[in-house]
Amino acid sequence: MVLDGAGHEVLEAVSGLRIEETVDTRKPDLVPTDMLMPGRDGVETVMALRRRHPGARVIAMSGGGNRGNLDLAMAKQLGVSVTLTKPFEPEERIDRVTEILAGPSPA
């Protein structure tokens, strides 16, 4: 809702597998993903995106805690554009999205 309200077209996927399917078919400019999801976690999702869409711009988010911090560190190693630890202010998400989309397009 926050990104939609800021004028971005937002597609929703309820699992890591659905994220991959959406990226395959819709080719979004940016992929925000949570690290804890049903079916396929965020690290597995980011790894799959890197294999299939190496230039995809990804924001990884997690509620923190030991697993969340490890997942965000792994996501950063896998080349995500930004990591965000929850809770964060809506403006922070909008700012990060704006910065990423204003940068160079992926190859």
Side-chain angles (χ1 to χ4, degrees):
M1 291 187 322
V2 169
L3 295 175
D4 189 52
H8 298 284
E9 178 184 356
V10 178
L11 306 171
E12 187 173 346
V14 296
S15 70
L17 187 55
R18 291 283 187 215
I19 288 173
E20 292 172 46
E21 291 170 357
T22 300
V23 172
D24 286 346
T25 59
R26 300 291 299 272
K27 311 287 191 260
D29 295 325
L30 177 64
V31 182
T33 185
D34 204 315
M35 291 288 94
L36 297 175
M37 297 179 290
R40 179 174 284 168
D41 71 22
V43 171
E44 293 171 318
T45 300
V46 172
M47 289 173 65
L49 288 173
R50 286 289 164 250
R51 281 191 303 273
R52 293 160 65 169
H53 306 279
R57 297 183 277 196
V58 179
I59 294 179
M61 300 172 283
S62 179
N66 288 337
R67 172 149 184 219
N69 291 335
L70 290 172
D71 286 350
L72 288 176
M74 177 64 79
K76 196 65 171 171
Q77 289 180 346
L78 292 169
V80 301
S81 301
V82 170
T83 61
L84 293 173
T85 301
K86 298 175 190 175
F88 48 82
E89 295 297 322
E91 294 80 19
E92 183 177 4
R93 181 185 296 188
I94 293 169
D95 290 348
R96 298 299 79 76
V97 166
T98 301
E99 290 168 10
I100 294 167
L101 293 177
S105 296

